Amino acid sequence: MADKSVKENRILIAMDGSKYCNYAFDWYLENVKKPSDYVILVHCVEMNSLASMPGDIGASGLLMKSIEKERESCDKYLRELTDRMKAAELHGKVKRTSGPARSEILRVAEDEKVDMIITGTRGMGTVRRTLLGSVSDHVLHHSHVPVIICKHKDPDHQQEKQQGSKK
């Protein structure tokens, strides 16, 4: 039976299948996790492959095949997230949403009344982040709850950034 005197913290962790979000999940487990936490793993589906399809996709049935492939891939990833939660003995749920991650993360955080948001970051440079927009940057500046942005410690990633700044 749970101790009622311990406050349940509601933690949202944004997950997209990247090593950056996986790092954020692992960072949570190592640094923040408490037995009383209620964790919500959020995966925002944007149907990215549809944006790169050729112009006349309806006639050949490619659209339906592409949608089904995206759905299967998403369902598989959601099962993986559920398994990761069970393996880590987390109390909570996995939630799939549709739409841009930057707004969906904030919407789910508000709907679920979370106390904290945790996300990874790709560590884009200033120019790229300004032009493309950063999900983590947007969430940080528009959230009404604390946001932890976990920067991946990938040595290859750091080397790429250093080489890019020398060019």
Side-chain angles (χ1 to χ4, degrees):
M1 181 167 227
D3 182 358
K4 297 291 181 187
S5 65
V6 177
K7 181 187 182 303
E8 175 186 85
N9 285 313
R10 296 179 66 83
I11 313 291
L12 182 150
I13 305 176
M15 301 297 291
D16 66 3
S18 71
K19 64 183 175 182
Y20 309 106
C21 287
N22 289 335
Y23 176 78
F25 179 85
D26 293 339
W27 187 91
Y28 161 78
L29 293 177
E30 294 170 17
N31 297 285
V32 178
K33 179 185 172 188
K34 293 181 182 154
S36 60
D37 287 349
Y38 185 86
V39 177
I40 303 159
L41 299 183
V42 176
H43 177 58
C44 304
V45 181
E46 294 188 56
M47 297 290 189
N48 294 322
S49 69
L50 298 180
S52 62
M53 303 246 352
D56 185 22
I57 55 178
S60 65
L62 285 176
L63 177 61
M64 293 308 294
K65 288 178 184 176
S66 182
I67 290 171
E68 187 57 33
K69 186 176 177 183
E70 286 275 346
R71 185 175 292 127
E72 288 172 7
S73 176
C74 181
D75 289 346
K76 180 182 177 204
Y77 183 59
L78 294 173
R79 286 190 299 274
E80 289 171 12
L81 290 178
T82 300
D83 292 345
R84 286 184 78 182
M85 282 191 75
K86 288 178 185 174
E89 299 178 351
L90 296 176
H91 173 63
K93 64 182 172 182
V94 174
K95 188 167 189 160
R96 171 179 48 191
T97 68
S98 298
R102 61 186 345 181
S103 56
E104 284 299 298
I105 291 167
L106 293 170
R107 185 189 62 75
V108 172
E110 189 174 318
D111 290 352
E112 295 286 345
K113 297 175 178 39
V114 302
D115 300 297
M116 179 187 304
I117 299 171
I118 299 175
T119 186
T121 182
R122 294 185 314 219
M124 292 189 288
T126 306
V127 173
R128 193 161 177 226
R129 185 174 55 246
T130 301
L131 293 173
L132 298 176
S134 163
V135 170
S136 58
D137 194 49
H138 181 85
V139 170
L140 175 67
H141 288 94
H142 293 89
S143 175
H144 296 291
V145 297
V147 176
I148 296 177
I149 299 173
C150 300
K151 189 168 181 181
H152 192 274
K153 296 179 182 179
D154 181 355
D156 294 332
H157 180 67
Q158 292 301 321
Q159 188 176 18
E160 287 172 12
K161 281 183 69 176
Q162 290 170 354
Q163 288 173 349
S165 64
K166 292 178 184 176
K167 291 182 181 180

